[in-house]
Amino acid sequence: MAEQDNAADLSRDEWLGLMLDREAAMRADRRLTNRLAAAKLRFVDACIEDVDFASRRGLDRRNTLQLAQGAWLKAHENLIITGLTGTGKTWLACAFGRQAARLDHSVLYLRMPRLFEDLAMARLDGRFPRLIDKLVRVQLLILDDWGTHTLNDQQRLDLLEIFEERYRRKSTLITAQLPVAQWHDMIGEPMTS
């Protein structure tokens, strides 16, 4: 900063203000970098500004940009993105995840098959309560590839516990090829659905 042409024209208070602004910006960048690393997003470069509204995916520009403002996260609401293979559901979910991190929310991305593997392993090695706490604590949990297979009894109970703890406290974003109307069949238990 001292090497800039107008450095001599700045008062001590202006110098201090610039230094504080720079420090605040560096800390915010570091916090965002850490949040994005912890989020484990599949598409780390996905961002709302790059959403292609001209394609035939049927995305509503106004609705998408309104969601990007993050009011749904503050209200602890959930978001479901459905569509055919190759329509960009995962990319869009990662873009919303990145936007949530920018808005200073913690984010975690998980594919459903991996979630079930992690839950099964955690149950065996005693980490299950800690894993559930981690999944419950994160402000935005992104569950990708929902409905790729019918759930077994343990998977249903695990999901019920996660969703019950998160309900009206945290937000969850789910991507699925399976239309919502078919979720009851995929879950496989009318009492849980």
Side-chain angles (χ1 to χ4, degrees), residues 84-98:
L84 300 174
T85 301
T87 56
K89 297 177 301 294
T90 299
W91 187 92
L92 186 60
C94 289
F96 278 120
R98 182 182 188 90

Side-chain angles (χ1 to χ4, degrees), residues 117-128:
E117 288 173 12
D118 290 349
L119 289 168
M121 289 300 295
R123 190 176 298 289
L124 293 173
D125 65 16
R127 293 179 300 110
F128 186 77

Side-chain angles (χ1 to χ4, degrees), residues 1-16 18:
M1 287 173 51
E3 294 174 0
Q4 293 179 1
D5 293 338
N6 62 348
D9 299 336
L10 298 175
S11 70
R12 189 175 63 154
D13 290 341
E14 290 171 321
W15 269 102
L16 181 59
L18 289 172

Side-chain angles (χ1 to χ4, degrees), residues 64-131:
T64 302
L65 295 178
Q66 181 180 1
L67 288 168
Q69 298 301 310
W72 67 283
L73 294 165
K74 292 176 187 165
H76 309 296
E77 294 174 343
N78 303 309
L79 182 60
I80 298 172
I81 301 172
T82 60
L84 300 174
T85 301
T87 56
K89 297 177 301 294
T90 299
W91 187 92
L92 186 60
C94 289
F96 278 120
R98 182 182 188 90
Q99 184 66 15
R102 286 177 177 167
L103 297 171
D104 214 21
H105 295 280
S106 59
V107 178
L108 180 61
Y109 167 92
L110 289 168
R111 290 186 60 252
M112 292 298 292
R114 176 66 187 267
L115 170 65
F116 291 132
E117 288 173 12
D118 290 349
L119 289 168
M121 289 300 295
R123 190 176 298 289
L124 293 173
D125 65 16
R127 293 179 300 110
F128 186 77
R130 281 194 316 242
L131 179 56

Side-chain angles (χ1 to χ4, degrees), residues 4 11 49 59 65 76 88 100 119 123 134 136 162 171 193:
Q4 293 179 1
S11 70
E49 294 83 0
L59 288 176
L65 295 178
H76 309 296
L119 289 168
R123 190 176 298 289
K134 176 183 175 182
V136 168
I162 293 166
S171 296
S193 309

